[in-house]
Structures are given as structure tokens and as C-alpha cells.
């Protein structure tokens, strides 16, 4: 697996080149996409502004036309001939004929004067109706189903609800206004003709009538659509229900248009213009207040994107050229930059093979120069640390060997003491038996394996040592233990406390009877802090400083004589096993005693 991974490695230079090209590709693609979308948005916005200007012109044209038709309808309504027709059935036969003739003449004259008018119709509430077209005049006195159907139609409802205002209607044909069947004999009559209708209701003597003016669809459409020379655009009018009421393509009249969905919201906010993109088209609308309709312009998005496609081709060409140039230039420059890094990699590889202390003689005024400088320092430090480690290990090995060697004589003494003990038992010398038993218990831990023991075992060892010293000093030494029960099963270096107690007895209490040694242990977080205090002679400040220095730098002779037992060796054992920050601290005052303090890690018994 290691060989496979090594074969799959890619040089840093190639990785940097690849990363640079990927970043370049991402940035260039995003910027190109942003530019493309931005230009597309500009084109759409320009189209919106152009369309809005056109819409305003169309609004003016349609409003002017609506005003003209409104004025015409008012003139027709105000004519006495039309008012008299409201009460047609209540008049005499002669008056009826006279009024109908005058109305037909008036309607025909308007058809002649206004070419955009295709027909004019009048519908009374009593069912009387007349209709004038370019081909003929129609009259219906007794309504039948055909006329009754008109009175139930949307045309009549909207005209009446207009409250004598001109109401604009769309989506209806000449068939919707027939009052007699078979009026027209021409073949074209079979095909319905779409109209734009303007209807107005009026009243006379509590009777009502409805005037309907049907306009030429082509003429009406040319008012707003004659300048639309773009074949892809579709311009039309929709009513308040979204149905197409005016379009150059009459086949679409009556179908649903695509007015923007936010039209109502725009109207509520006073904005007559709306625009949105839907179904691949840019749909823009403008409300014509005079008609109550929406003028809609559908422009396919492809119209905007056609110019953007040319720009995209140019951008892709630039992209390919830039990518190739970036690959060549970045390859050359990155190889130049990474050359010192490759040298550093080779040196690191050699160090990994065991050649410590290697350095690079390269000067650079950038981050790589800092890296190489720090590497040289690190290499030298590693070399020095390895030498220091070897020295420490050798020193530790010698200390442990000395400790092992020191166990040889106690082993011999332990066997010899057992023999003497049995001789004393046979001689019935109880004090000698007790002394030898205590000495045997004292020597027994020296044969235990391992450098660690429990705190309780170390305390027992100190108690045996104290008994032996009391035999020697006639019971003048007292050792007090203040060690919590919950930590007595924790681990401690074997024979760590005994040299310190021995030092207190030998140097602190040698000339004092009734000496007391207090051994205190306190748990603090992850450590156990120890204190060994005596009430002996203490030390002067000069002697105290000398002892403190000896903990760090022993003169050598005493160290050999002690063979690892003493303050220096105990302090050194702490540092070798737990680290340099673990060490003995000494405080002392003349004639008051001495206190030794140190800490060890809290380690539970496995």
C-alpha cells in the first residue's frame, strides 16, 4: 500500500499549477457568467424602457380614440331620435315609422363619416331593437329567443352596470348582436367577425335603452400595433379577466393572455407598467385606464440572448487563450518558486533516514526564507535534543544500575539476618528478635520488582525505617503521617520518601532529642503535593542557598559516596521520571526546622 501511495504522488509544482488553473477556471467562469447575465439584464432593461415609451404612446393613441368614440356615443344618445325609441311601443304607427327612419338615417350617416364603425345597434328594455350595418338595417319589435339571449348576455350586464358611462367590451363577434336570422346573404357572413364594442346605457321617463357601437378590429388594432415590425413580438389587449380582446391575429381573440402575475399589485401601487419573465418570454403590460384593459407585449427571451450568444463566443475564445497562457506562465513561475522547497524536501527525507543536524544554505527574502531559517534552527535543536536525550538516558541507566547494585548487599544481609534472628529466638533474646524482624521488614521491599509502589507501601517502609533509627537513637524520633485514605492506593516512586526522611534525621535531628518529622500529602487537581517537615536545627540562609544549588549541580564526590541516596538523587529521579518542572523546594530557618516540598502526578494503581 505504501508503494502504491508513493507511485500516486503528484509533485507540489503540478498541484499548484492545477490549483491555479482550477481557481482561474472558477473565477473566469463566474465573472463571464456574471457579465453574460449582466448584459442580458441590460438588454432586457433596455427593452423594458423602449416598450414603456411605446406603451405610453399607445396609451395616448388609444385614449384619444376612446375619447372620440365616447364623444360620438354621447352625440348619438343626446339625439332626440334615439331617446324617442326608448318608448317605441307606446307611440302611434306613424310616429314609430318616422322615428325608426330617422334613427337608421343617423346610424347610416355615422357609418359613412367614421370608417372604423362597422355597425350601430340599439336595444330597448321593452325588447325593441334596431341594428345598422354597411349592408342593411334590421328592426325587431317583438322579441324572441334571439333577442332575449342578448339581454341575458355579459354585454348587456356590463353596459347597464356602467351607469351611463361608455363601457368597452371585447371578444365578441357580429353573431352576438344579430336580432334577426338570415340578415346577410354574402358568403363572408358565415364566418363571425370580431368586434371591439363600446356600449352606453341611457334613461328616459324611467325607461332604459342601450347603445352599442361595434368598431372595426383591424382599425382598432392598428392604433397600437401598426409600428410593431418585430415578427417575434406579440402585442395584444386583454380585459380584466385576462382574455384577449384585440390582436392582429383574430384567431386568438377570446383566448387567455399572458398578462404579468403582479399586474394587480402594480395597479394597486399606482404603477401602470408591469414586467416579468415566464414560459421563456419577457411579458410586459401597461394598463390603459380609458379602456380598463391591459396592453400586453410578449417578447421571447431568445431575442435578448441572440446578441449575448455572440458575446459568449468571444468570451469562450478569450477563455481558451487565457487558460493556455496561464498554464504555461504559471508552470514556469511555480517551478522557480518551489525549487528551494524541493531542496528542503530532500533534506527532510535524509533526516528521516537518520542523518540529523543537516541544514540548507539558501537565502530568500520571503516566507520560504523564514521557513528554511526555522528549519535550520529546528534541525540543530533536534540534534542537540537527541544528544541530550542520550545523555539523560545514560544517566538514568546508571542511576537504575546503582539502585539494582544497592539491592545486592541488602539481599545478602536479609538472608544473614534471618539466620541471626533464629539464633536470637533460640537464645530467647526478644529485643534482638524484634530489632532483626524490623530490619528484615525494612530490607524486604528492596527485592520487589518495579520502580513504583503504592503510597501505603512507601509509608510502611518509612515506619520500619523509623523503628530501626529509634533503636539506634533510643526512641528519640517521632514520625507523623497526614495522608488521606483516598490517595493511599495511588502510585509513587519506590524509596522516594525514605532518603528525605533519612536526610531530616541525619542532618536536622542529629543533635536534638524528641525530634518530630511530619509527612503530609494533599491532593490538588491531577497532582499530589508532599511536605516533609522537621523541627530540627534548621539552616542559615547561606547554607540554605548552598543546599539549593547542590540540588541542581552536585560536586560529584558526595554523590558517589551516597550511591543515589540523598537530596540530589531524589530530586533528579523526580525530573527524570516526571519532567524538569517536578523538583524539590527547600525552606528552612535556624533553630526552627526544615521543610521539603515537591509534587508528583496522581496515578491510580492499575
Amino acid at each position: 500500500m505504501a508503494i502504491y501511495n508513493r507511485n500516486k504522488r503528484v509533485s507540489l509544482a503540478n498541484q499548484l499549477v492545477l490549483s491555479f488553473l482550477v481557481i482561474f477556471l472558477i473565477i473566469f467562469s463566474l465573472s463571464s457568467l456574471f457579465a453574460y447575465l449582466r448584459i442580458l439584464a441590460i438588454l432586457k432593461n433596455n427593452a423594458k424602457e423602449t416598450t414603456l415609451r411605446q406603451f405610453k404612446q399607445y396609451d395616448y393613441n388609444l385614449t384619444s380614440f376612446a375619447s372620440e368614440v365616447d364623444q360620438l356615443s354621447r352625440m348619438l344618445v343626446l339625439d332626440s331620435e334615439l331617446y324617442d325609441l326608448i318608448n317605441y311601443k307606446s307611440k302611434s304607427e306613424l310616429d314609430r315609422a318616422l322615428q325608426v327612419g330617422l334613427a337608421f338615417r343617423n346610424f347610416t350617416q355615422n357609418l359613412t363619416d367614421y370608417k372604423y364603425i362597422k355597425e350601430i345597434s340599439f336595444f330597448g328594455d321593452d325588447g325593441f331593437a334596431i341594428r345598422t350595418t354597411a349592408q342593411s338595417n334590421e328592426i325587431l319589435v317583438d322579441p324572441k329567443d334571439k333577442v332575449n339571449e342578448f339581454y341575458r348576455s355579459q354585454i348587456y350586464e356590463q353596459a347597464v352596470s356602467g351607469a351611463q358611462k361608455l363601457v368597452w367590451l371585447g371578444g365578441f363577434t357580429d353573431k352576438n348582436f344579430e336580432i334577426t336570422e338570415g340578415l346577410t346573404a354574402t358568403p363572408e357572413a358565415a364566418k363571425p367577425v370580431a368586434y371591439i364594442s363600446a356600449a352606453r346605457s341611457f334613461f328616459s321617463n324611467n325607461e332604459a335603452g342601450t347603445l352599442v357601437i361595434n368598431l372595426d378590429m383591424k382599425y382598432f388594432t392598428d392604433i397600437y400595433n401598426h409600428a410593431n415590425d418585430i415578427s417575434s413580438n406579440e402585442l395584444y389587449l386583454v380585459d380584466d379577466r385576462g382574455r384577449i380582446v384585440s390582436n392582429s391575429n383574430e384567431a386568438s381573440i377570446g383566448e387567455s393572455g399572458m398578462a404579468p402575475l403582479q399586474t394587480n399589485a402594480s395597479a394597486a401601487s399606482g404603477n401602470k407598467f408591469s414586467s416579468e419573465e415566464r414560459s421563456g418570454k419577457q411579458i410586459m403590460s401597461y394598463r390603459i385606464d380609458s379602456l380598463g384593459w391591459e396592453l400586453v407585449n410578449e417578447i421571447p427571451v431568445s431575442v435578448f440572448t441572440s446578441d449575448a450568444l455572440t458575446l459568449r463566443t468571444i468570451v469562450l475564445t478569450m477563455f481558451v487563450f487565457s487558460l493556455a497562457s496561464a498554464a504555461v506562465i504559471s508552470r514556469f513561475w511555480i517551478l522557480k518558486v518551489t525549487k528551494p522547497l524541493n531542496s528542503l524536501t530532500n533534506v527532510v527525507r535524509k533526516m528521516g533516514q537518520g542523518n540529523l543536524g543537516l541544514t540548507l544554505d539558501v537565502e530568500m527574502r520571503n516566507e520560504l526564507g523564514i521557513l528554511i531559517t526555522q528549519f535550520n534552527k529546528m534541525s540543530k535543536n533536534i540534534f542537540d535534543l537527541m544528544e541530550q536525550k542520550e545523555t539523560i538516558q545514560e544517566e538514568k541507566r546508571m542511576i537504575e544500575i546503582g539502585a539494582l547494585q544497592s539491592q545486592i548487599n541488602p539481599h545478602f544481609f536479609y538472608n544473614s539476618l534471618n539466620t541471626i534472628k533464629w539464633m536470637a529466638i533460640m537464645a530467647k533474646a526478644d529485643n534482638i528478635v524484634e530489632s532483626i524482624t524490623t530490619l528484615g521488614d525494612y530490607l524486604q521491599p528492596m527485592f520487589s520488582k518495579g520502580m513504583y509502589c503504592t503510597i501505603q507501601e512507601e509509608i510502611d517502609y518509612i515506619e520500619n525505617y523509623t523503628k530501626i533509627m529509634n533503636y539506634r537513637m533510643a526512641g528519640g524520633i517521632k514520625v507523623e503521617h497526614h495522608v488521606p485514605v483516598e490517595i493511599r492506593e495511588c502510585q509513587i516512586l519506590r524509596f522516594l520518601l525514605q532518603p528525605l526522611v533519612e536526610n531530616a534525621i541525619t542532618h536536622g535531628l542529629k543533635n536534638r532529642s524528641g525530634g518530630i518529622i511530619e509527612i503530609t500529602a494533599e491532593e490538588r487537581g491531577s497532582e499530589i503535593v508532599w511536605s516533609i517537615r522537621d523541627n530540627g536545627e534548621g539552616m542559615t540562609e547561606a547554607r540554605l542557598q548552598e543546599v539549593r544549588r547542590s540540588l541542581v549541580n552536585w560536586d560529584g564526590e558526595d554523590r558517589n559516596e551516597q550511591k543515589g541516596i540523598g537530596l540530589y538523587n531524589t530530586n533528579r529521579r523526580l525530573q527524570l521520571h516526571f519532567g524538569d518542572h517536578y523538583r524539590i523546594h527547600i525552606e528552612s530557618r535556624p533553630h526552627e526546622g526544615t521543610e521539603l516540598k515537591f509534587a508528583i502526578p496522581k496515578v491510580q494503581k492499575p
Side-chain angles (χ1 to χ4, degrees):
M1 182 60 70
I3 296 176
Y4 172 79
N5 291 334
R6 187 161 53 247
N7 292 335
K8 290 295 182 180
R9 288 175 185 165
V10 181
S11 66
L12 178 61
N14 292 334
Q15 292 179 0
L16 290 175
V17 171
L18 181 61
S19 300
F20 174 79
L21 293 180
V22 170
I23 294 173
F24 172 82
L25 177 64
I26 294 174
I27 294 176
F28 195 93
S29 300
L30 292 177
S31 60
S32 300
L33 179 61
F34 175 78
Y36 174 79
L37 295 176
R38 182 58 181 166
I39 293 173
L40 185 61
I42 292 173
L43 293 174
K44 291 180 179 179
N45 188 60
N46 291 339
K48 290 180 184 178
E49 294 178 354
T50 302
T51 303
L52 178 58
R53 288 193 295 269
Q54 293 176 346
F55 278 167
K56 289 181 178 179
Q57 181 62 47
Y58 298 154
D59 183 21
Y60 176 80
N61 295 341
L62 290 170
T63 301
S64 299
F65 178 74
S67 178
E68 182 179 350
V69 175
D70 181 72
Q71 185 177 0
L72 174 61
S73 67
R74 289 177 184 274
M75 291 174 57
L76 290 172
V77 168
L78 292 175
D79 286 343
S80 59
E81 294 86 355
L82 203 59
Y83 263 101
D84 290 340
L85 291 178
I86 294 180
N87 301 311
Y88 175 81
K89 291 185 178 182
S90 63
K91 297 182 181 297
S92 64
E93 189 71 24
L94 180 62
D95 289 337
R96 290 180 182 179
L98 180 61
Q99 293 299 327
V100 169
L102 292 174
F104 278 139
R105 185 181 66 179
N106 194 8
F107 287 175
T108 302
Q109 183 63 44
N110 281 283
L111 289 178
T112 303
D113 294 341
Y114 301 97
K115 300 299 183 183
Y116 53 81
I117 300 178
K118 301 298 291 183
E119 64 178 42
I120 301 176
S121 301
F122 169 79
F123 299 91
D125 282 353
D126 56 1
F128 171 76
I130 63 173
R131 178 187 181 200
T132 298
T133 67
Q135 291 78 22
S136 62
N137 295 322
E138 294 180 68
I139 184 171
L140 186 64
V141 178
D142 297 321
K144 295 181 181 180
D145 292 342
K146 197 72 172 179
V147 177
N148 291 338
E149 185 67 25
F150 171 81
Y151 285 100
R152 291 192 297 270
S153 68
Q154 179 189 2
I155 304 171
Y156 181 73
E157 292 177 1
Q158 289 186 346
V160 172
S161 63
Q164 301 190 57
K165 293 182 180 180
L166 190 64
V167 177
W168 289 88
L169 305 168
F172 302 103
T173 68
D174 56 344
K175 301 297 183 182
N176 297 104
F177 301 96
E178 289 183 350
I179 59 177
T180 60
E181 296 184 3
L183 171 67
T184 308
T186 58
E188 290 79 5
K191 180 180 179 181
V193 178
Y195 288 149
I196 291 293
S197 303
R200 180 188 293 276
S201 292
F202 57 97
F203 302 90
S204 175
N205 297 325
N206 295 325
E207 298 291 338
T210 301
L211 174 69
V212 179
I213 301 175
N214 290 321
L215 308 174
D216 185 0
M217 177 64 73
K218 185 178 184 307
Y219 182 92
F220 184 84
T221 303
D222 285 343
I223 296 176
Y224 64 87
N225 203 28
H226 70 280
N228 185 21
D229 55 356
I230 303 177
S231 59
S232 58
N233 289 18
E234 187 174 0
L235 195 61
Y236 54 85
L237 280 165
V238 296
D239 60 13
D240 54 358
R241 293 184 298 172
R243 294 187 314 161
I244 297 176
V245 295
S246 174
N247 195 337
S248 57
N249 179 18
E250 292 190 6
S252 64
I253 294 177
E255 297 179 354
S256 297
M258 295 185 68
L261 299 178
Q262 67 268 31
T263 297
N264 295 334
S266 300
S269 62
N271 185 12
K272 300 170 67 174
F273 180 76
S274 299
S275 177
E276 70 178 30
E277 185 175 330
R278 190 167 79 246
S279 301
K281 295 181 180 180
Q282 188 71 29
I283 304 170
M284 292 170 278
S285 72
Y286 191 90
R287 181 166 182 81
I288 309 298
D289 293 332
S290 58
L291 302 176
W293 294 339
E294 294 283 339
L295 182 58
V296 180
N297 189 12
E298 295 182 12
I299 304 177
V301 177
S302 57
V303 173
F304 306 114
T305 58
S306 59
D307 294 332
L309 289 176
T310 304
L311 176 63
R312 185 176 66 180
T313 303
I314 297 174
V315 170
L316 288 176
T317 304
M318 293 175 57
F319 170 74
V320 173
F321 174 77
S322 301
L323 186 63
S325 301
V328 174
I329 295 173
S330 63
R331 176 69 179 176
F332 170 77
W333 181 251
I334 290 175
L335 285 176
K336 182 178 179 180
V337 172
T338 57
K339 183 177 180 181
L341 193 59
N342 292 332
S343 300
L344 179 61
T345 302
N346 293 331
V347 173
V348 171
R349 186 180 295 111
K350 292 179 181 179
M351 288 185 63
Q353 296 172 355
N355 300 320
L356 301 179
L358 299 178
T359 58
L360 280 174
D361 187 14
V362 178
E363 292 185 3
M364 299 184 68
R365 298 181 180 275
N366 54 22
E367 287 79 1
L368 279 178
I370 297 174
L371 178 62
I372 291 174
T373 301
Q374 295 301 319
F375 170 79
N376 291 338
K377 292 181 180 179
M378 181 188 70
S379 179
K380 292 179 181 179
N381 290 337
I382 291 175
F383 184 78
D384 294 341
L385 287 174
M386 291 302 295
E387 288 189 338
Q388 183 180 358
K389 181 180 178 182
E390 290 179 0
T391 302
I392 292 174
Q393 290 295 333
E394 180 64 21
E395 183 178 0
K396 185 177 179 180
R397 187 177 66 86
M398 294 302 296
I399 290 176
E400 297 300 336
I401 290 175
L404 291 174
Q405 289 177 343
S406 66
Q407 293 181 16
I408 297 176
N409 289 334
H411 186 270
F412 171 76
F413 287 140
Y414 184 69
N415 290 331
S416 300
L417 286 174
N418 278 331
T419 302
I420 298 172
K421 173 184 174 181
W422 284 106
M423 292 174 64
I425 292 174
M426 293 177 66
K428 297 183 180 181
D430 294 337
N431 57 341
I432 297 176
V433 171
E434 185 179 355
S435 298
I436 292 175
T437 301
T438 302
L439 181 59
D441 293 337
Y442 171 73
L443 294 176
Q444 188 176 8
M446 297 182 181
F447 298 94
S448 300
K449 295 182 180 180
M451 291 183 290
Y452 290 90
C453 64
T454 64
I455 291 177
Q456 183 61 53
E457 290 173 343
E458 186 72 4
I459 292 175
D460 294 341
Y461 183 73
I462 295 299
E463 289 179 348
N464 289 326
Y465 173 76
T466 305
K467 286 182 182 179
I468 293 173
M469 295 304 295
N470 277 326
Y471 287 138
R472 175 184 170 188
M473 303 178 70
I477 301 172
K478 183 179 180 182
V479 178
E480 297 179 355
H481 305 284
H482 305 286
V483 180
V485 176
E486 57 269 18
I487 66 171
R488 292 199 174 199
E489 292 301 315
C490 293
Q491 298 285 293
I492 189 174
L493 284 173
R494 194 181 296 276
F495 310 131
L496 186 64
L497 300 180
Q498 187 272 336
L500 304 181
V501 175
E502 181 180 357
N503 185 78
I505 295 174
T506 303
H507 300 285
L509 304 177
K510 62 181 180 180
N511 296 321
R512 175 172 293 192
S513 59
I516 299 175
I517 300 175
E518 294 182 7
I519 300 176
T520 305
E522 181 181 357
E523 182 180 358
R524 293 183 186 175
S526 61
E527 294 182 336
I528 299 175
V529 180
W530 291 87
S531 171
I532 301 176
R533 179 181 180 87
D534 65 68
N535 62 347
E537 296 181 357
M539 292 182 283
T540 63
E541 185 63 28
R543 177 56 181 164
L544 178 61
Q545 295 299 328
E546 181 180 349
V547 172
R548 286 174 176 172
R549 285 193 297 271
S550 68
L551 288 177
V552 179
N553 186 17
W554 195 264
D555 58 11
E557 294 183 1
D558 251 356
R559 180 182 174 187
N560 291 332
E561 291 177 2
Q562 294 293 333
K563 293 185 178 180
I565 302 175
L567 288 179
Y568 175 81
N569 282 341
T570 304
N571 187 65
R572 189 60 179 156
R573 289 182 70 195
L574 285 172
Q575 293 178 331
L576 288 174
H577 284 279
F578 304 127
D580 290 341
H581 61 285
Y582 288 96
R583 60 185 63 188
I584 296 175
H585 301 275
I586 304 177
E587 297 293 338
S588 182
R589 290 186 180 181
H591 310 298
E592 291 185 11
T594 302
E595 182 179 13
L596 307 179
K597 285 187 175 182
F598 64 92
I600 61 172
K602 179 183 176 182
V603 180
Q604 297 290 343
K605 183 178 180 181

